[in-house]
Amino acid sequence: DGGITQSPKYLFRKEGQNVTLSCEQNLNHDAMYWYRQDPGQGLRLIYYSQIVNDFQKGDIAEGYSVSREKKESFPLTVTSAQKNPTAFYLCASSIGPGTGTYEQYFGPGTRLTVT
Amino acid sequence: AQTVTQSQPEMSVQEAETVTLSCTYDTSESDYYLFWYKQPPSRQMILVIRQEAYKQQNATENRFSVNFQKAAKSFSLKISDSQLGDAAMYFCAYRSFDKLIFGTGTRLQVFP
């Protein structure tokens, strides 16, 4: 089955530690995205990548970093510089710009709790 | 910059009835795409319906349909014959070049 996987589903970390969230897709999509979701707010874009070895900052990139070494993988690192990292994180992918409606398909998400 | 507004934080509907969720957006572009996503308690985002701005005809997917008013920049979602499984957060989204801009969502409750 084609889809997007995120692991783990729940993640707990101590303040001051970096943590990496995994996102893998087997949809052969070029573009991948990371969103953060907080209660009462919509999804806010952290980073996105339209092609391997290239990525762009979204609206709230501070305190986060990403890499895109493989088409299928787009890991997100939440660094200790992120002031309020506790949130629900969603990964998504799409075919890519220039090829259709750009609809994005989402993974199941990771709930990160930092104490 | 484009913005998406969902003015109804919560809505409720009786099972088998019809409910309409509102969404307005602001853009200077003439060609774009709009989407409605559903987020059930599992928190998995599911694409419900899409609308291409250059198409006059409103999109329909089974019990879900949209009322797209381009001049008014309005994109409402109508759910007919509501079912208990329709209970979820619903997000309206606008495609801006290479990314989506989401509204803050509407929580839909469905009562038996």
Side-chain angles (χ1 to χ4, degrees), chain A residues 42-106:
Chain A
L43 278 66
R44 293 185 291 169
L45 183 63
I46 305 172
Y47 267 99
Y48 63 106
S49 167
Q50 297 175 3
I51 196 168
V52 174
N53 291 322
D54 188 42
F55 47 83
Q56 289 76 41
K57 291 182 179 180
D59 301 317
I60 55 165
E62 187 174 347
Y64 300 97
S65 66
V66 293
S67 63
R68 187 85 187 277
E69 297 176 1
K70 299 187 298 182
K71 187 176 184 178
E72 303 79 21
S73 178
F74 191 42
L76 172 74
T77 296
V78 184
T79 75
S80 56
Q82 168 51 233
K83 299 298 180 202
N84 186 19
T86 294
F88 186 64
Y89 292 87
L90 282 158
C91 178
S93 70
S94 68
I95 292 174
T99 51
T101 60
Y102 296 59
E103 57 211 44
Q104 294 182 12
Y105 298 88
F106 286 80

Side-chain angles (χ1 to χ4, degrees), chain B residues 73-88:
Chain B
K73 296 179 183 174
S74 171
F75 181 58
S76 60
L77 175 70
K78 185 171 85 170
I79 306 174
S80 304
D81 186 25
S82 297
Q83 301 175 359
L84 295 177
D86 295 333

